[in-house]
Amino acid sequence: MKDMTLGQKIREIRLHLQMTQKELAGDFITRNMLSQIENDQATPSMKTMEYLAKQLGKSVGYFMDENHKDLSLSNIIVELMALNEAKDYVASVKLIEQQSIHNPIVMRSKMMMDLYMNSYMYLGNQYMTEGDNEKAKAAYEKILKYENELLLESDIYLYKVYAQLAEVCGYLLDIELAKTYHKKSKDLVNKILASREVQTMYLKLIEADYDGIIEDSSKVDVIDYDNYSLARYNRVLGSAFLNKGEYEKAIVYLEKAIEIYSDETCYTIVSMIYEELSKCYFELGDYKKAYDFLQKAQSKKIAH
């Protein structure tokens, strides 16, 4: 199995044990997620890998990529897990820093990233408990090395980092920096809440609950929405008015959505909004605009 990928190893052992994907996934992950992992379309988190290894009767190290023996990635991860289990976070981050300098390729591993962040988080918490706020601040700030990745993958975890930094900077009487991190944590919470609100509206769109969408829109405060959530909000609300036959209102929100969306990265959504605008203008009898937006929708599809 040495030359197999992580996903192939998991699938091979599962089949050998005559387990179905549903049996292996259990209640811990979805069967769809397990399928993605086995097909190397998704990388399991450390907790997921620990669960799968236990279910398959193997150690986590057994599944690690050992194509580069000189890096000994599996040994490093096993050692780091042992250090975290023993709550020796100082030794854990020391080992991580050594590897990131001498073997930077190991940091491409999702498990190493998880261990890196968790080790510094626990170390920061430990220092705060001991009252060593300077060291706590330094530990938390180490996590921000991967701030952009966390924004995309784990905004709730990043919120915890910001909140801890705001608190520790307050203890250090660095008021301006405390305010900065407090604002970042507050902005992130608003983004998370906005995303959930819009997602609820989107689900109602799928269920054709257009009145529910319009009612929800009157209860939310879009001032704190990030651009992505604001674009989705306007698009969903515009679609609701379109389906209710209130075409002029639909146009207002759909055109707002178009202004926010990036044509380069959201071309499919933009094409759909153009089609909806075309329907609105057609129903209002403005056939020239209806044709223009239909052409825009078609050109967007052809271009991509």
Side-chain angles (χ1 to χ4, degrees):
M1 288 193 185
K2 232 175 227 188
D3 296 325
M4 287 185 177
T5 64
L6 173 62
Q8 289 170 340
K9 288 180 180 179
I10 292 172
R11 182 170 61 248
E12 181 82 5
I13 298 171
R14 176 178 62 78
L15 293 174
H16 178 72
L17 295 174
Q18 297 184 335
M19 295 176 70
T20 64
Q21 286 187 331
K22 185 177 180 180
E23 288 172 336
L24 179 54
D27 296 327
F28 194 86
I29 58 173
T30 64
R31 190 202 63 77
N32 183 55
M33 174 54 72
L34 176 59
S35 179
Q36 290 183 47
I37 291 171
E38 288 190 348
N39 288 291
D40 297 303
Q41 296 173 347
T43 303
S45 67
M46 176 58 71
K47 287 184 178 179
T48 299
M49 194 62 247
E50 288 174 352
Y51 166 79
L52 293 175
K54 183 178 180 181
Q55 294 299 103
L56 295 170
K58 299 290 183 182
S59 67
V60 173
Y62 181 86
F63 293 95
M64 294 301 95
D65 180 10
E66 294 181 40
N67 291 332
H68 302 284
K69 287 187 177 180
D70 56 315
L71 299 182
S72 302
L73 179 57
S74 62
N75 293 333
I76 295 167
I77 288 178
V78 169
E79 186 175 350
L80 284 170
M81 289 176 65
L83 289 170
N84 275 268
E85 184 71 23
K87 298 184 179 180
D88 191 349
Y89 306 119
V90 173
S92 179
V93 298
K94 183 178 180 181
L95 177 58
I96 289 170
E97 291 295 343
Q98 287 174 346
Q99 295 304 317
S100 64
I101 293 171
H102 301 295
N103 299 315
I105 194 173
V106 303
M107 295 308 295
R108 297 178 188 175
S109 163
K110 180 70 167 59
M111 289 187 181
M112 280 295 291
M113 287 284 290
D114 285 347
L115 284 165
Y116 174 95
M117 293 177 191
N118 287 335
S119 294
Y120 274 112
M121 175 62 84
Y122 292 139
L123 183 59
N125 294 346
Q126 181 178 301
Y127 283 140
M128 277 192 71
T129 302
E130 295 170 355
D132 197 336
N133 296 313
E134 285 285 0
K135 286 185 177 180
K137 176 174 175 286
Y140 294 136
E141 286 181 334
K142 279 284 189 176
I143 302 173
L144 295 184
K145 177 180 180 181
Y146 298 101
E147 187 173 11
N148 290 336
E149 287 87 342
L150 285 171
L151 274 171
L152 295 173
E153 297 178 10
S154 184
D155 44 17
I156 292 178
Y157 189 93
L158 185 57
Y159 161 75
K160 292 179 182 178
V161 179
Y162 288 151
Q164 292 295 87
L165 278 166
E167 184 177 351
V168 77
C169 287
Y171 291 146
L172 293 169
L173 300 181
D174 191 341
I175 306 304
E176 289 305 312
L177 195 53
K179 286 181 179 178
T180 297
Y181 284 123
H182 176 71
K183 184 178 184 305
K184 282 192 170 190
S185 66
K186 182 181 177 182
D187 289 346
L188 201 50
V189 167
N190 288 335
K191 177 186 173 184
I192 294 168
L193 292 175
S195 178
R196 290 178 180 174
E197 288 172 348
V198 175
Q199 184 63 20
T200 299
M201 292 173 66
Y202 180 75
L203 291 174
K204 288 185 178 181
L205 181 64
I206 295 173
E207 296 168 355
D209 184 5
Y210 309 124
D211 289 325
I213 292 170
I214 295 168
E215 183 181 349
D216 286 350
S217 70
S218 65
K219 300 175 184 176
V220 300
D221 186 357
V222 298
I223 293 175
D224 293 322
Y225 277 23
D226 62 292
N227 275 351
Y228 177 73
S229 295
L230 189 58
R232 290 188 74 200
Y233 167 86
N234 282 299
R235 187 275 164 108
V236 170
L237 193 52
S239 295
F241 280 120
L242 166 62
N243 283 283
K244 281 181 63 65
E246 298 183 43
Y247 305 114
E248 291 181 351
K249 287 183 179 179
I251 288 170
V252 172
Y253 289 103
L254 292 172
E255 289 189 339
K256 283 181 181 178
I258 282 289
E259 289 175 9
I260 301 170
Y261 272 117
S262 164
D263 286 15
E264 297 302 319
T265 58
C266 301
Y267 59 88
T268 302
I269 297 174
V270 169
S271 177
M272 292 171 66
I273 296 174
Y274 282 151
E275 288 179 348
E276 291 185 332
L277 282 165
S278 177
K279 290 177 185 177
C280 288
Y281 281 112
F282 180 84
E283 293 294 339
L284 290 171
D286 192 335
Y287 303 119
K288 183 180 183 308
K289 280 192 175 181
Y291 177 77
D292 288 344
F293 277 114
L294 189 59
Q295 287 293 98
K296 286 183 178 181
Q298 292 301 319
S299 64
K300 188 62 60 180
K301 290 179 181 178
I302 293 171
H304 297 276

